[in-house]
Every structure is written in structure tokens, then in C-alpha cells.
Amino acid sequence: MAVRLTTWFVSQGISISGSSSNSKRSNSNSRFSFHYSPASSCKLRHRNLSCNCVNKRQKLKKKNAVEQSSATTDFQFNSDDDFQFNKDDDSESESASVGIAPVLNPESVSDDEAHANNANDSISNALVPSDQTNPSAYNTQDLVGMIRNAEKNIHLLNRARVNALQDLDKILGEKEALQGEMNALEMKLAETDARIRVAAQEKIKVELLGDQLDKMRNEMRLNGGGAERESALKELESKLSVSQEDVSKLSNLKVECKGLWEKVENLQLLLDKATKQADQAIIVLQQNQEIRKKVDKLEESLEEANVYKQSSEKMQQYNELMQQKIKLMEERLQKSDEEIHSYVQLYQESVEEFQDTLNTLKEESKRRALDEPVDDMPWEFWSRLLLIIDGWLFENKISIDDAKVLREMVWKRDRRIHDSYMACKEKNVHEAVSTFLRLTSSQTSPGLHVVHIAAEMAPVAKVGGLGDVVAGLGKALQKKGHLVEIVIPKYDCMQYDFVRDLRALDVVLESYFDGRLFKSKVWVGTVEGLPVYFIEPLHPDRFFWRGQFLGERDDFKRFSFFSRAALELLLQSGKKPDIIHCHDWQTAFVAPLYWDLYAPKGLNSARICFTCHNFEYQGTAPASELGSCGLDVNQLKRPDRMQDNSSHDRINAVKGAVVFSNIVTTVSPTYAQEVRTAEGGHGLHSTLNFHSKKFIGILNGIDADAWNPATDTHLKVQYNANDLQGKAENKEDIRRNLGLSSADVRRPLVGCITRLVPQKGVHLIRHAIYRTLELGGQFVLLGSSPVHHIQREFEGIANHIFENHDHIRLILKYDDSLSHSIFAASDMFIIPSIFEPCGLTQMIAMRYGSIPIVRKTGGLNDSVFDVDDDTIPVQFRNGYSFLSADERGVNGALERAFDLYTSKPDSWQQLVEKVMKWISVGTLRHHSTKNSTPSLWPEQGQQLTLKQYDSLLS
């Protein structure tokens, strides 16, 4: 029996070992160990249990071998998703050790199985809808229902999983307890078995002793008793009695062994039952694992559904955006129709103008057939000839009528007067006058006679953009065949090198001022082909011998004196101009002086055009000072004439020009709208609105000859839009001259040339310097400030913060030659003006291939159109603009420009080529003001057309 029991334990994977090999009959302390082999270890994976472990545990079961082997096959769930669990799957996502727990309640396993099965069915139903398997086909209600069911099922699965783990812990604990009891019983059985073997041996001995005793008794009977035999017999009887006692004990041990055997069989049954429950728990865990995978699949499906939902929302947003775009396209289409209509009107006007021009050309061709003009002589020649005639008139060598006829011949560039002049070069003045007088006859003027009276003219006396406009406009009108003359003060600080044939006329000009007559000296010369008169007052205050053009305390007196002297020059020379064009407050006195004093004296052929380049400067003074130039203060100090709108005891020169001029212009359409508001009019908005019918805004232009990178002698290398290599060489040259780093040739260079005054956005310029450095660019500033604290502030920045800096250079003065080089070298040009009537800097920058970055105000808004503005036609986009006058606005425009420059160099190159060609050929420009139509950007100067000047004569 002992052999069978041991064999059974070995077959079940259980080994028995003793600490001693000696058998003893008594209840010794021999120790035996009872344990499972390694193949039956009780480790359990938390989620993914290996089916091999199930096989090893199922080897403990002897009676259900067939069922056990079937349990090791693949577990498969027949669902629509075809999820499978193979017996070779050894995935290990999480693991946990199971400790000793109370005895498992078999019913709990069944309940967990039921929960798991229910959850499994629910998930299967949730995973695969009855009518569709594509997540994109779910509607919102289905998705919400699926999500809620999934949350409930996940909760049930988690609860079933926890219960299964707890029950498995209980089963394994009970199993270990049973194993302990079986170990103890085995030890007892082994001890009992040994005792039974000893008892069997004793029984044999007893039987032998009994046989010997019987034999001895028989011998005694046969031989008779003896004392020795008697004692031997007694000894054998005692041994026999002892043996009988041992036999009785053996019987008791047999009974006890039988009872132990029954207990072992009972324990085996309990062990089988626990093993079966453990197998059931493992199956439940495997089902949980499969369900968990289905839950993961459901979560993936839900994620896809969420993605589909988001895509549906994006599609809805896209549809809304498309609707907005369609609406925008409709609006653009409507605007396009309006623009086409305006183009048609413009075309019709152009046809009419063309017809007029054609008729004019026909008439001119007829005249040329009779008297061909001289076209091969420069304008300097004709201007010099005109000044000679005016000199003879002032010297009383010819009459006013003769001078008029000779001027007309000069206007027509008559070959006869050209030949007479060439013939008289070697003759004296008397013979020359006689020769010219023989040419006098009735002539017809070919164009308008325009006289500009201004305080500045580039390049001889330039402070700001006014000087450029006067010179550029004069040359543009001269090219169109008009007679243009310019009158400016003779400053001691002029650039005399730019004046050709400068000479003083042998005449003294007298004009009234401060109750008496003061003399003035008249100088004549040509500046870039234009005839110019320079008036030098012989006044004890030396009005124009101050070492600077503007900014004196007595500017009101200086320029009111000059304005009257200029009109006196026109009167005494007998000129009959068609247009007298005065500029800014310094010559605004011309308008009231002309109509109140000089028209009654006979200087009445002209109409007055006044252009205000900046309404911030209006020339106000106490009313009494107006009387110095001879005007009636009592008549003019009225709200409808020259009384200042803000201070009624003062006179406003610009207001007087607005009231007394036939036409009033400013330098851009947008600025013309801005100054008619309280915010932009500086107190004159009511006057401008009252005279709105004669107030227009015309965009300034630049002198394309003076500002031409293809011929600019200030540049190291000339270049044009078709060959930009020269621009890169100029950039390298200015870096070397200014001491900037040339390590990175692609590093963008930002330029800024301006007067440092609040109007120009000084705080934004300062911020742009730092922001350019942060963006990885270089910055060059050229300009100075008449405001002392601003000048000191920028000097501190230049001398302390950016002294000898590799990427920043501040030149706090004006240098005309250096300005040309900066325009040519810079990649971008920043103009962050708070307000800007027009501005020429952005136009010059584009002429030199530098992309402007401007604030949307005044003329900047009329000439720079943002690259990223979809409302502007692509062909007109030429720079970057921002609206808000703050650091955020500057940052946005700068960053967009830097981004295009660095990330899309080809697009940047195309933009540079476009703006250079666009401005050089007078391409159509697009006004952003309401009801405006595209018009030609002038090639040179401000475009006051012949029609607009003709309107003054009417």
C-alpha cells in the first residue's frame, strides 16, 4: 500500500523526502517534505495568462484528462470582429503575484463568468452595428449610445475581473492549505508504514516464537521438565506476550492508517475541486482578456468616430468658410463690375483725351511744317536764353511786349531765335538786342506759363519732400511743353554747386514792408535745366543769411517779406503767368497779396494754386504781424478769411491761402480725406470742408532722373530691375564703409532715412531697431532731429548701446550721397509715420528695389499696398503695411517681411523686380480711397495735369 501511495504522489508531480533513512518503531521526529514540482507553480499573469500554465495545472487532474487536453486548445470568440486567443500567445502586459486568500466560493466564479459573458455580448453588439461597419457612418446619437454602453460594459468587466482575481486568490490559498495538510498526512503515513513494516517483522518473530514455544512444550512433555527448560519457556511466553501486544498495536495502526487513507482521499477530492475552480477562474480571466481586447478595439473605433466627428465639424466650418468666400467673391465681383465700369469711363475719357491730343498733334504738325522747332538743344540752353531776355527787360533794353514775344519764341523753341542767339555769341549786347528785336512778331504760346514760388528746391535748398516736389514737378511740366519758372529765397547756406550760370541782374527790386520800401537783389541761374530766380532781401535783419533754411523765430516776417518780393518781381518784369503755384505756409501769403494788392496793379493774368504738403504747420502769428507786408489786418482778421479757428487773436497763413486760392491741393488722396476730419485737420477741417469743391488730393511723385539706380553716380555699382547683382554689391559696399558685419551675405538690411520728429513715429523707429536685431537683421538709420531731447536720446543709443555694433549703425545727420547708397543697399525700408501727407521715401525705396514697410496713413496708404492683402489686385501689391501705431503693428509687418525674405527668396526676388519696374515706368496705381479709380503714377514730380491747370483758368 505504501508503494502504491508513493507511486500515486509521484504520478501527480509530488515528491516525498525524509531527513533520516533509519526506521524506528517508536513515534520518532522524522521530518518529511511535501511540495509541487516546478511545473505546477502558481504564478498568474494579471491580464494575459499563458495557456501553457493552464496545461501544467491541468496535469494535476487524473480523471478528466480528455477535458484537460481540450482546455489547452485555442480559445476563440466567434464575433463579427474575429478576435482570437491562441495557446502560443505569450503577451505580457501586466503581471501580479497572487497570495494566500480565504477559500473560494464556487458560486462567485460562476457569477463572474456570467458577468463576463454578458459584457462580452454587449461589447460585441457595440463593436459592430447591425447595418454598417464603417466608423464614418455613425451618426451622433449612435456614437453617444455606443460610448455610454461601452462605459457601462467596461465597468462590468472591471468588476468581474476584480472578483475573478479575488476568487482565484481564494482558490490558490485553499489549495495551498490542502497541500499543507496533505504533506502532514504523508509524513504520518510514511511513519505508520515504517511502523507497520516493523510490526510485520515482529509478528513473524512472534509466530516463530510461538512455534518454538509449542515445540519446546512438546519436547518438555516428551522429555520431562527441567529447570532450564522451565525458565526458557517462561521467557518465550513473556516474549510471546510482548509480541501479542505488538500485534494488537499493529491492528490499531492498521485501523489508524485506514482512517488516514480515507482522509487523503477526501483531501484529494477537495484538491481536485479546487483545481477545477482555479481552471474556471483562469478561463474567466482569459475571457476578460479577450473582452479587454475587444474593449480596446471599441476604444479605437470610438477614437475613429471622434476623428470623424471632428472632421464633420471641420467640414461644417469649411462649408461656412466657403459660404463666406462665395459671399466675398460676389462682393469682389460687384466691385470688379464697378471697377470695369470705371475703367470703361476712364477709357472713354482717354479716348476723348486722345482725340484732343490727336487734334493738337495735327495742329502742331501743321505749324512744324512751317517752322520746325529745335529739339536737339538741352533745356539749360532755353532757360539761359529766357533769363537773358528777362535781364534785358529789367535793364529796360527791351519793352514788355517785345519780351513777351521773345519768351513765346523760346517756349516754342523757335529755330530763328536759336540761330540768332548762336550768331550773336561774338557780338556785344547792343547788337544782340537789335538782332533779337528783328525777330519780334505775333506768336502763339504753345503751353502754360507756370511760376512756382516756394521756400525750397532740391538740390540747392532742400529741407524735406517739398524741395523734391518743386524740382520734380517743374521738370515734368517743362517736358510737357510748359514754360516753368521758379522763385526761391537766396540762402547763404544753399548748395551753390548745383546752380549753373548764377549771376545777379543789374536791377534793384523794391517792395513794401513795415511801412517802407526795402530793396532786394535778384539773381538768376539754372538748376537741372529749370530757370530759377533767387531773391536776396537787402533788409537789415538779413532774413536769409542765418546759416539755415527754416526754424527761425521771425520766420513769419521772413517769408511774408519774400512772398511780396516775389510778386513784385513778376509785376516789374511784366510777366503774365497763367498759374502761380505757391507751396506751404511760407508762401501762403502769395494768395491774399495777389488778389488784394497785385491784381489791381495789373498782375491779373494768373490763377492761384496752393499746395499744402503738411497741415500740421500752418504759419500762425499775432494778427498785427500780418500788416508788415501791407495787407489790411482788419479786413482779413475775420472767421471767413484769415482768422485762426482755434485762437481768434491770431492770423493763420494756410487758412488765408485756402480761402484766396482758386484751387487747393494736398499731396495724396487719403491725406485729403484725413485733414477734413477734426483729428487730422489741426483746426482747419471746418475751413477745408467749406471749400471742399476746390480742394483735392494728388499723389506726389519722384524725379525718376535724379533717383535712378541705373545712372546714379553716388553708387559703387549701377543696376536695374533686370540685373540685381549690382544691388548686392552696393549692400556689401555700405557694410564695409559703415563697419557692419558681412559674415552672412543673406542677412537682411533694413534702412530708415527720416527726420526724427514725433510725426515720423520716433518710438516705433526705436522699437524697429531692436526688433530687427532680434529677427536676425541689420539696421541703418540716417537722419537728425530738430527736437533736442529726441536728438540726445538717439545719440545715447548710438554711442552707448550700439557703438561699434556688428549689425546696427545710426548716422544722426543728413548726407545726400549716403542716402543714395542706403536706398541701394537696403532690402527693406521702414516708414512707421503717425501721419504722413504723402512721403517720397517709399517711392524712392521701391525705385531702388527696397521693399517698403509702412503704416497705413496718408500718402503711404495710397502708394504701398500690402503683399498679403487679398482685396488688392496682385499686380498692385508692392510692400507691407500695418494700421495700429504701436509695437505690435510694427512687429507683424516686420516679421512677415522677414519670413518671405528668408523662407522664399525666389518670391522676394520677384517682388523686388516688380516694384522696380512698377515705379520706373509709371505703372497704374490703385487708390484705396472710396470711389477712386486707378490712375497713372507720374514718372517725375507731382502730376498736376494740363486739364487740372486749365480748370484754374476757368
Side-chain angles (χ1 to χ4, degrees):
M1 179 177 182
V3 176
R4 287 190 296 107
L5 184 61
T6 303
T7 305
W8 181 85
F9 279 114
V10 172
S11 67
Q12 298 299 319
I14 302 172
S15 64
I16 303 174
S17 62
S19 61
S20 176
S21 61
N22 298 324
S23 299
K24 297 184 180 179
R25 293 180 61 185
S26 61
N27 295 330
S28 64
N29 295 324
S30 301
R31 305 184 64 87
F32 293 84
S33 63
F34 180 74
H35 60 274
Y36 279 118
S37 66
S40 58
S41 62
C42 298
K43 292 183 178 179
L44 176 66
R45 300 186 185 276
H46 184 61
R47 291 180 59 186
N48 300 322
L49 292 174
S50 175
C51 295
N52 293 329
C53 295
V54 177
N55 291 334
K56 292 178 181 179
R57 291 193 179 92
Q58 288 176 345
K59 288 179 180 179
L60 297 173
K61 292 188 285 185
K62 195 171 185 181
K63 297 180 181 180
N64 300 321
V66 177
E67 295 177 2
Q68 292 169 359
S69 61
S70 63
T72 62
T73 57
D74 295 344
F75 294 96
Q76 183 173 352
F77 281 73
N78 296 325
S79 64
D80 293 338
D81 297 314
D82 292 334
F83 296 110
Q84 294 183 358
F85 287 83
N86 194 277
K87 62 182 179 180
D88 296 327
D89 184 9
D90 289 330
S91 61
E92 296 181 13
S93 59
E94 295 179 10
S95 62
S97 298
V98 180
I100 298 174
V103 178
L104 174 69
N105 183 4
E107 296 178 357
S108 64
V109 177
S110 300
D111 294 338
D112 292 337
E113 282 184 310
H115 288 304
N117 292 331
N118 292 334
N120 186 19
D121 295 338
S122 300
I123 291 174
S124 299
N125 293 331
L127 278 172
V128 183
S130 60
D131 56 345
Q132 54 191 352
T133 60
N134 187 2
S136 62
Y138 296 134
N139 57 36
T140 304
Q141 294 181 352
D142 292 337
L143 290 174
V144 172
M146 290 172 63
I147 292 170
R148 290 176 178 173
N149 291 332
E151 290 175 350
K152 293 178 181 179
N153 292 332
I154 290 170
H155 178 68
L156 292 174
L157 286 173
N158 289 334
R159 188 173 63 185
R161 181 167 166 267
V162 171
N163 292 335
L165 289 173
Q166 291 176 352
D167 291 344
L168 184 58
D169 290 342
K170 292 177 182 179
I171 291 169
L172 294 176
E174 179 65 19
K175 191 173 183 180
E176 289 180 358
L178 291 175
Q179 288 172 352
E181 292 181 7
M182 290 179 69
N183 288 337
L185 289 175
E186 176 64 16
M187 292 172 63
K188 289 183 180 181
L189 284 172
E191 184 179 356
T192 303
D193 190 34
R195 290 171 65 184
I196 288 173
R197 287 197 297 269
V198 172
Q201 292 175 359
E202 290 295 331
K203 183 178 179 182
I204 294 171
K205 289 180 180 180
V206 168
E207 290 177 353
L208 292 174
L209 287 175
D211 292 339
Q212 290 178 3
L213 182 60
D214 292 338
K215 186 177 181 182
M216 290 178 66
R217 284 177 178 172
N218 292 328
E219 288 179 356
M220 285 178 66
R221 290 192 192 101
L222 294 176
N223 297 326
E228 294 178 359
R229 293 183 179 182
E230 185 74 22
S231 60
L233 182 60
K234 289 181 179 179
E235 184 179 355
L236 289 173
E237 287 178 354
S238 62
K239 289 182 180 180
L240 182 60
S241 62
V242 172
S243 298
Q244 288 176 351
E245 290 176 2
D246 290 336
V247 170
S248 62
K249 289 181 180 179
L250 178 60
S251 299
N252 294 333
L253 285 174
K254 288 181 178 180
V255 173
E256 185 178 354
C257 183
K258 184 178 180 180
L260 290 173
W261 179 253
E262 292 176 353
K263 288 184 178 180
V264 169
E265 289 179 349
N266 291 333
L267 289 173
Q268 182 62 41
L269 294 174
L270 292 175
L271 181 62
D272 293 341
K273 185 176 181 180
T275 302
K276 183 178 180 180
Q277 292 177 348
D279 293 340
Q280 292 176 349
I282 290 170
I283 293 172
V284 170
L285 288 177
Q286 289 176 338
Q287 293 175 349
N288 285 343
Q289 180 185 3
E290 294 176 355
I291 293 171
R292 184 64 191 179
K293 289 186 177 180
K294 289 192 175 184
V295 169
D296 293 340
K297 183 64 176 179
L298 178 59
E299 290 176 351
E300 293 177 359
S301 300
L302 292 177
E303 290 178 359
E304 293 179 0
N306 289 332
V307 171
Y308 170 73
K309 182 179 179 182
Q310 293 176 357
S311 63
S312 299
E313 294 175 353
K314 290 182 180 179
M315 183 63 70
Q316 184 176 0
Q317 295 175 357
Y318 176 76
N319 290 336
E320 294 176 356
L321 181 61
M322 289 302 297
Q323 292 295 331
Q324 295 175 359
K325 287 187 176 181
I326 291 173
K327 185 177 180 181
L328 181 61
M329 290 300 296
E330 291 176 351
E331 294 176 355
R332 288 184 183 177
L333 184 60
Q334 184 177 358
K335 291 181 180 179
S336 176
D337 293 339
E338 295 175 356
E339 289 183 359
I340 291 172
H341 181 67
S342 64
Y343 285 142
V344 171
Q345 291 180 344
L346 181 62
Y347 172 75
Q348 293 174 350
E349 293 176 359
S350 300
V351 170
E352 294 176 359
E353 186 174 356
F354 173 76
Q355 191 64 41
D356 295 340
T357 305
L358 184 61
N359 295 332
T360 303
L361 290 174
K362 289 179 179 179
E363 294 176 0
E364 288 183 358
S365 63
K366 292 179 181 178
R367 288 198 301 269
R368 286 175 181 175
L370 299 175
D371 190 3
E372 188 71 22
V374 179
D375 294 327
D376 57 352
M377 297 301 293
W379 281 106
E380 285 83 357
F381 170 82
W382 301 107
S383 297
R384 190 183 310 115
L385 189 57
L386 187 65
L387 292 174
I388 290 173
I389 295 170
D390 287 341
W392 291 344
L393 176 62
F394 281 116
E395 294 166 358
N396 295 320
K397 294 177 181 178
I398 60 175
S399 66
I400 294 177
D401 293 335
D402 291 336
K404 181 178 180 181
V405 172
L406 292 173
R407 287 196 193 103
E408 290 176 352
M409 294 181 71
V410 172
W411 298 347
K412 293 190 298 180
R413 292 174 290 172
D414 195 302
R415 183 170 297 276
R416 290 174 299 169
I417 197 168
H418 166 267
D419 295 339
S420 298
Y421 175 77
M422 300 302 291
C424 295
K425 273 190 173 183
E426 305 298 330
K427 297 180 181 180
N428 57 34
V429 175
H430 179 72
E431 292 176 345
V433 170
S434 299
T435 302
F436 272 67
L437 288 176
R438 287 195 293 269
L439 299 175
T440 58
S441 60
S442 178
Q443 300 289 336
T444 302
S445 174
L448 296 175
H449 182 189
V450 181
V451 176
H452 287 275
I453 302 176
E456 302 176 38
M457 179 188 179
V460 293
K462 176 182 175 180
V463 176
L466 169 60
D468 292 313
V469 171
V470 171
L473 176 57
K475 288 190 287 185
L477 294 174
Q478 190 182 62
K479 285 183 178 181
K480 290 183 176 294
H482 306 300
L483 174 62
V484 180
E485 297 177 308
I486 298 173
V487 184
I488 64 172
K490 186 177 183 295
Y491 300 97
D492 61 339
C493 54
M494 286 195 316
Q495 301 291 325
Y496 287 96
D497 293 341
F498 294 102
V499 184
R500 298 187 60 181
D501 301 323
L502 179 64
R503 63 186 179 90
L505 296 179
D506 187 15
V507 63
V508 176
L509 184 69
E510 290 187 332
S511 60
Y512 177 87
F513 198 77
D514 282 337
R516 52 174 289 195
L517 293 175
F518 285 93
K519 294 181 179 181
S520 296
K521 195 173 183 178
V522 180
W523 297 71
V524 294
T526 60
V527 178
E528 296 185 347
L530 292 169
V532 182
Y533 296 85
F534 301 93
I535 295 179
E536 179 186 354
L538 302 178
H539 192 280
D541 290 340
R542 299 172 64 87
F543 284 146
F544 300 108
W545 290 80
R546 308 285 183 84
Q548 62 181 11
F549 302 114
L550 305 174
E552 296 293 316
R553 289 180 297 176
D554 59 346
D555 275 355
F556 192 90
K557 291 184 63 176
R558 295 169 69 209
F559 289 102
S560 61
F561 179 96
F562 166 72
S563 296
R564 177 151 188 173
L567 289 174
E568 193 70 33
L569 172 65
L570 299 181
L571 178 65
Q572 293 187 26
S573 64
K575 293 179 182 293
K576 296 291 183 179
D578 298 304
I579 305 294
I580 298 177
H581 195 159
C582 48
H583 301 265
D584 279 350
W585 76 265
Q586 289 88 354
T587 56
F589 307 97
V590 168
L593 283 169
Y594 178 83
W595 293 112
D596 279 10
L597 300 179
Y598 284 89
K601 293 182 181 181
L603 184 61
N604 54 9
S605 62
R607 295 295 181 266
I608 305 299
C609 174
F610 172 68
T611 297
C612 185
H613 298 257
N614 192 337
F615 278 93
E616 184 180 16
Y617 307 102
Q618 298 178 8
T620 62
S624 59
E625 292 192 16
L626 186 63
S628 296
C629 63
L631 289 171
D632 190 342
V633 176
N634 294 326
Q635 289 295 323
L636 297 178
K637 187 185 174 184
R638 289 166 44 179
D640 60 339
R641 296 193 177 178
M642 293 185 70
Q643 185 182 58
D644 187 67
N645 293 340
S646 302
S647 181
H648 296 165
D649 59 342
R650 298 176 70 83
I651 290 294
N652 189 314
V654 170
K655 180 179 178 181
V658 171
V659 172
F660 285 92
S661 296
N662 298 96
I663 189 169
V664 180
T665 72
T666 191
V667 290
S668 70
T670 297
Y671 188 60
Q673 297 296 324
E674 291 174 351
V675 296
R676 291 177 63 181
T677 65
E679 294 79 10
H682 301 282
L684 274 183
H685 57 282
S686 59
T687 302
L688 293 172
N689 284 317
F690 183 80
H691 295 280
S692 60
K693 291 185 178 180
K694 65 177 181 180
F695 178 51
I696 60 174
I698 304 171
L699 189 66
N700 270 348
I702 61 172
D703 185 346
D705 292 332
W707 297 101
N708 185 357
T711 59
D712 196 335
T713 58
H714 296 285
L715 306 183
K716 180 182 179 181
V717 180
Q718 285 75 39
Y719 63 97
N720 55 48
N722 298 321
D723 181 14
L724 293 175
Q725 181 59 33
K727 183 171 179 65
E729 295 181 23
N730 283 295
K731 183 176 179 180
E732 178 62 26
D733 180 65
I734 201 169
R735 281 174 167 171
R736 182 171 53 255
N737 293 336
L738 297 181
L740 296 175
S741 172
S742 300
D744 183 5
V745 295
R746 280 289 300 161
R747 184 184 292 270
L749 177 63
V750 180
C752 182
I753 300 176
T754 184
R755 289 183 299 117
L756 297 173
V757 293
Q759 171 204 339
K760 301 296 182 179
V762 173
H763 66 294
L764 299 180
I765 294 173
R766 182 175 58 248
H767 174 73
I769 296 172
Y770 291 97
R771 187 57 183 153
T772 297
L773 188 61
E774 292 172 358
L775 292 172
Q778 294 179 320
F779 197 99
V780 176
L781 169 67
L782 177 65
S784 61
S785 177
V787 184
H788 296 299
H789 73 88
I790 295 177
Q791 182 74 12
R792 287 196 303 271
E793 177 186 0
F794 275 83
E795 287 175 352
I797 295 173
N799 298 329
H800 297 95
I801 300 177
F802 294 119
E803 184 178 11
N804 298 324
H805 197 279
D806 288 340
H807 304 301
I808 304 296
R809 194 67 70 239
L810 309 183
I811 301 100
L812 300 178
K813 63 178 182 179
Y814 182 74
D815 186 324
D816 184 67
S817 177
L818 182 58
S819 70
H820 287 251
S821 299
I822 293 174
F823 279 119
S826 60
D827 299 296
M828 309 165 196
F829 229 86
I830 188 162
I831 311 164
S833 302
I834 304 303
F835 71 92
E836 189 63 66
C838 177
L840 301 180
T841 305
Q842 74 277 12
M843 302 180 192
I844 299 172
M846 287 187 281
R847 177 77 163 147
Y848 282 74
S850 181
I851 304 303
I853 302 173
V854 306
R855 181 173 173 268
K856 297 183 69 171
T857 182
L860 300 176
N861 186 49
D862 292 323
S863 56
V864 178
F865 308 108
D866 199 286
V867 170
D868 299 320
D869 189 351
D870 293 338
T871 63
I872 301 295
V874 176
Q875 64 269 27
F876 297 132
R877 301 179 196 174
N878 57 356
Y880 293 88
S881 60
F882 59 94
L883 184 59
S884 57
D886 54 23
E887 295 178 356
R888 183 177 180 183
V890 173
N891 289 347
L894 265 176
E895 289 165 5
R896 288 189 292 121
F898 268 69
D899 180 64
L900 183 65
Y901 180 90
T902 55
S903 63
K904 299 179 180 179
D906 293 338
S907 299
W908 184 270
Q909 181 94 348
Q910 293 172 4
L911 178 61
V912 171
E913 293 174 359
K914 180 174 74 172
V915 299
M916 289 185 70
K917 294 176 181 178
W918 186 66
I919 193 169
S920 62
V921 299
T923 306
L924 283 173
R925 61 182 170 84
H926 180 272
H927 286 315
S928 59
T929 53
K930 187 176 181 181
N931 297 329
S932 62
T933 57
S935 59
L936 279 173
W937 192 337
E939 180 181 345
Q940 288 185 337
Q942 185 183 25
Q943 186 63 39
L944 273 177
T945 64
L946 182 60
K947 277 189 175 182
Q948 290 165 332
Y949 272 146
D950 284 342
S951 67
L952 300 181
L953 301 178
S954 62

